[in-house]
Amino acid sequence: MVGELLVVFVAVFAVAFLLSNRAVNLYDEGILLTAVMRTMAGQVLHRDFYYNYGPAQLYLLAGLFKVFGSSVLLERLVGLFAGSFLGVSLYGLARRFCGRSVALATVLCFVLWGIGENFIPSFLLSSVCVLILWSTYLNVVSAQQKVDRRRSFAAGLLVGVLFAFRYDMGVMLVAGHVVAIAVVIYRRARDGERRGRVLGSWLASYVGGFVLVAVPIMTAYLAVAPLHDLLYDIVLYTAKYYRAGRALPPPSIFGPSWNNLAVYLLPVLLGLAVYVGVIGIRRRRSAADAKATEPSVWAEFMLSLALVALLLSVKGLVRISAGAMYACLIPSLLLGAMVYQFRNYLGQHGSNLGRSLRGVLFVTIVLFFVLGFLSLQNTVLVERQQRAIMLKWIIAPVNQAPLPPDRGWCKTSNVITWGMCYSIESDSIATVKYLTEHTNPQDTIYVGLPKHDRIVMNNNLLYFAAQRLPATKWSHFDPFLQNRADIQQEMIGELERNRPPYVVLDGRFQNIHEPNGSSVSTGVHLLDDYIASHYTFVQRYGMLTILKRD
């Protein structure tokens, strides 16, 4: 079994690496890399910079960067390692309940979706899914006739680690586990008193594991930062503005992004998993012999994982897409394998209901593979157009960026090209060169927009690429944040105190209009007026304008 797992890990890692994109994402990846850079400089998330997630990813990468040096290559390798471990986790859990061919098919489907939707290169997404799968499994196997406290404690530890990656999902997973285990214990125990004892025993050890991780993290944070900053980033701003500024309509069935149709298949697969799980538990309890009446772990795990995936799907309902539903989609791949393995539980043998449900299962699984292939195909096509596929560069390396060409880029030594030639587009390359030549490493800079009254996103990568810290706490832009009067006044105060010698205004996002509040102007131009009165034009590279402080 160990050999099989090793082969799966190497295969997933190799395929994902060879088909990876050498281009670095300006926004999401830029947010992460710049936040890690700020963490390495001693800044604290939420207190010193706006950040949507937990500290785990930042401090792990910051530690690795301290040891091995800052680079995109190291960040990508860590993401590939996490993604490959997720593939191994899916295979190992599938083999626990299914045959080898079904387990391999599960990993294949995961690779299609993982590369197509960029799950595998993402350290955060892959780590979250690994923790969801194993904590749920440990919970189910711990809550037997007599609670295995070590396993439930370990499950709580894993959820505590998940909380350190994403506070919201950590809390949601605790709620999902409590509901799922309560259902399992209710089905197992025959009287209310025993149900209460078993649930209390499980809950005590589970919460103990969670608290052991979560409480020290919160204590360490509160020792150096106020609670309000964390609450504002994670709760207050999100509750008031996130849906208004980021919500997207459900994907069209006849739209160009066929892979997003997977969001309509997830409820079908989850429904089948719940049905099979419930039938499996009921049949085992009603069996005649004593041995058959023992709890059926596969049915309970299927039911628990389906309930957890259903709860976590709520997070993806704001920006509805296959990528946004990753916390539901990845567990659903394992659920699909298990439903297929135990498809005989879909109705009575030979009944019309059974045949209909098995037909629905077959169509759903086929569509998951087809849509996953389309997602992968679209990603590879874009990378081919950019000349950015890693495999092509390894076979025939050239000393230039993908597109547009900059023949000297790969010869330079910086955090983007160190170890492996990753790339940013040529205008950003020229801007980075200008900034590094005209500033000192201790200088701060500000990267903004030509107009700050409407916010979609911004160029976060430029800070990391130039290795210059942001001059403001609010370097990561979100709708109804930097285009508000109170935040702009705070940013102006920071620019006055830090006095960054250069400001870069990136105009590439001006023509992006989403059907939500990010397309609405707040009419606030305080920051624009301040920049115009304190900075003078010195250089322009495409959509990037560099201004110097007067």
Side-chain angles (χ1 to χ4, degrees):
M1 185 63 177
V2 175
E4 292 181 31
L5 296 177
L6 181 61
V7 169
V8 170
F9 181 91
V10 172
V12 173
F13 190 97
V15 172
F17 176 74
L18 294 175
L19 295 182
S20 64
N21 194 333
R22 289 171 53 220
V24 188
N25 183 275
L26 297 178
Y27 187 63
D28 292 323
E29 197 168 9
I31 291 171
L32 170 61
L33 292 169
T34 296
V36 172
M37 181 177 68
R38 300 185 79 151
T39 301
M40 293 174 65
Q43 297 185 13
V44 177
L45 72 165
H46 310 310
R47 185 194 71 181
D48 299 318
F49 58 93
Y50 168 65
Y51 192 65
N52 297 127
Y53 304 130
Q57 181 176 214
L58 300 186
Y59 283 91
L60 284 172
L61 284 176
L64 291 173
F65 281 7
K66 286 279 189 180
V67 174
F68 300 103
S70 300
S71 68
V72 172
L73 174 62
L74 182 55
E75 176 251 335
R76 293 286 183 94
L77 288 177
V78 171
L80 288 169
F81 180 90
S84 301
F85 189 72
L86 175 55
V88 169
S89 298
L90 285 169
Y91 181 81
L93 289 171
R95 283 287 285 127
R96 170 70 175 82
F97 304 106
C98 310
R100 181 178 287 107
S101 59
V102 175
L104 289 174
T106 305
V107 174
L108 174 60
C109 193
F110 162 70
V111 169
L112 295 177
W113 283 105
I115 299 176
E117 298 295 326
N118 292 315
F119 296 149
I120 294 180
S122 171
F123 178 44
L124 176 65
L125 304 190
S126 296
S127 300
V128 164
C129 291
V130 167
L131 295 168
I132 290 170
L133 293 175
W134 283 111
S135 62
T136 304
Y137 174 74
L138 285 173
N139 268 330
V140 171
V141 297
S142 72
Q144 301 296 324
Q145 297 296 328
K146 183 179 180 181
V147 173
D148 186 337
R149 290 178 173 272
R150 291 178 299 177
R151 287 178 172 175
S152 55
F153 182 80
L157 281 175
L158 293 181
V159 179
V161 175
L162 175 57
F163 176 80
F165 278 94
R166 287 199 58 160
Y167 313 113
D168 54 346
M169 284 195 174
V171 173
M172 293 172 69
L173 191 57
V174 168
H177 282 164
V178 170
V179 172
I181 295 302
V183 171
V184 168
I185 291 174
Y186 176 83
R187 295 298 305 174
R188 284 180 182 173
R190 298 183 180 277
D191 59 85
E193 182 179 354
R194 178 167 179 77
R195 289 167 183 164
R197 289 199 306 269
V198 175
L199 181 59
S201 179
W202 169 83
L203 193 61
S205 54
Y206 176 81
V207 172
F210 178 82
V211 166
L212 186 63
V213 178
V215 169
I217 291 173
M218 294 304 301
T219 302
Y221 174 80
L222 293 176
V224 297
L227 179 62
H228 175 270
D229 290 345
L230 184 152
L231 291 178
Y232 185 84
D233 290 0
I234 305 302
V235 180
L236 301 178
Y237 167 78
T238 302
K240 187 173 182 179
Y241 296 109
Y242 180 64
R243 177 172 291 276
R246 290 298 190 193
L248 292 176
S252 172
I253 296 178
F254 303 103
S257 300
W258 288 96
N259 54 302
N260 286 330
L261 295 182
V263 300
Y264 299 112
L265 298 178
L266 292 175
V268 177
L269 197 51
L270 292 178
L272 291 172
V274 170
Y275 179 85
V276 172
V278 170
I279 296 300
I281 292 173
R282 291 180 63 184
R283 287 192 178 181
R284 298 291 286 184
R285 283 182 61 89
S286 62
D289 60 292
K291 183 178 180 180
T293 61
E294 291 298 318
S296 184
V297 174
W298 70 263
E300 293 169 344
F301 178 58
M302 183 182 295
L303 181 60
S304 299
L305 188 59
L307 291 175
V308 165
L310 182 62
L311 181 62
L312 294 176
S313 69
V314 175
K315 181 64 179 177
L317 294 179
V318 177
R319 296 180 67 83
I320 305 178
S321 66
M325 300 288 282
Y326 72 94
C328 177
L329 191 150
I330 297 300
S332 294
L333 298 181
L334 178 58
L335 288 171
M338 295 181 67
V339 174
Y340 179 81
Q341 183 71 31
F342 300 101
R343 57 192 179 279
N344 287 335
Y345 283 81
L346 291 171
Q348 298 296 324
H349 296 287
S351 69
N352 291 330
L353 176 62
R355 285 193 294 268
S356 298
L357 290 179
R358 283 192 287 271
V360 170
L361 172 64
F362 177 77
V363 171
T364 302
I365 290 176
V366 170
L367 286 176
F368 256 106
F369 273 96
V370 171
L371 295 176
F373 177 78
L374 292 176
S375 176
L376 174 63
Q377 183 185 46
N378 181 66
T379 297
V380 173
L381 178 62
V382 171
E383 293 174 359
R384 287 185 60 188
Q385 291 172 345
Q386 296 176 336
R387 296 202 297 251
I389 298 179
M390 182 62 70
L391 176 61
K392 184 175 181 180
W393 186 81
I394 292 175
I395 294 174
V398 290
N399 290 322
Q400 66 179 57
L403 279 177
D406 184 321
R407 294 190 176 277
W409 174 247
C410 290
K411 295 180 180 180
T412 61
S413 178
N414 55 62
V415 292
I416 309 294
T417 62
W418 183 88
M420 189 72 68
C421 186
Y422 291 94
S423 180
I424 51 182
E425 41 76 40
S426 61
D427 295 338
S428 292
I429 291 174
T431 303
V432 167
K433 289 180 178 179
Y434 185 95
L435 291 173
T436 53
E437 291 172 358
H438 292 81
T439 61
N440 297 313
Q442 67 271 19
D443 288 333
T444 61
I445 61 173
Y446 173 70
V447 181
L449 306 172
K451 293 182 179 181
H452 292 82
D453 61 316
R454 189 179 73 84
I455 302 292
V456 179
M457 60 183 70
N458 68 316
N459 186 341
N460 284 273
L461 182 64
L462 208 58
Y463 295 110
F464 179 77
Q467 285 293 283
R468 300 293 185 266
L469 287 171
T472 174
K473 171 181 179 177
W474 306 100
S475 56
H476 162 198
F477 285 12
D478 261 328
F480 301 115
L481 198 60
Q482 288 83 356
N483 55 342
R484 293 195 343 239
D486 58 330
I487 299 297
Q488 288 197 13
Q489 288 173 341
E490 185 176 334
M491 294 172 71
I492 290 171
E494 291 176 309
L495 294 178
E496 272 295 295
R497 290 192 301 273
N498 295 322
R499 302 179 72 84
Y502 289 94
V503 162
V504 180
L505 304 180
D506 193 337
R508 80 188 72 211
F509 308 103
Q510 292 184 117
N511 296 324
I512 299 177
H513 293 273
E514 294 185 342
N516 51 44
S518 66
S519 296
V520 178
S521 169
T522 60
V524 177
H525 295 279
L526 298 175
L527 186 56
D528 299 334
D529 295 340
Y530 174 85
I531 292 174
S533 61
H534 290 77
Y535 289 83
T536 304
F537 170 86
V538 292
Q539 189 59 267
R540 178 178 290 113
Y541 299 104
M543 299 295 288
L544 294 168
T545 302
I546 303 176
L547 307 177
K548 184 178 181 181
R549 191 173 182 92
D550 296 334

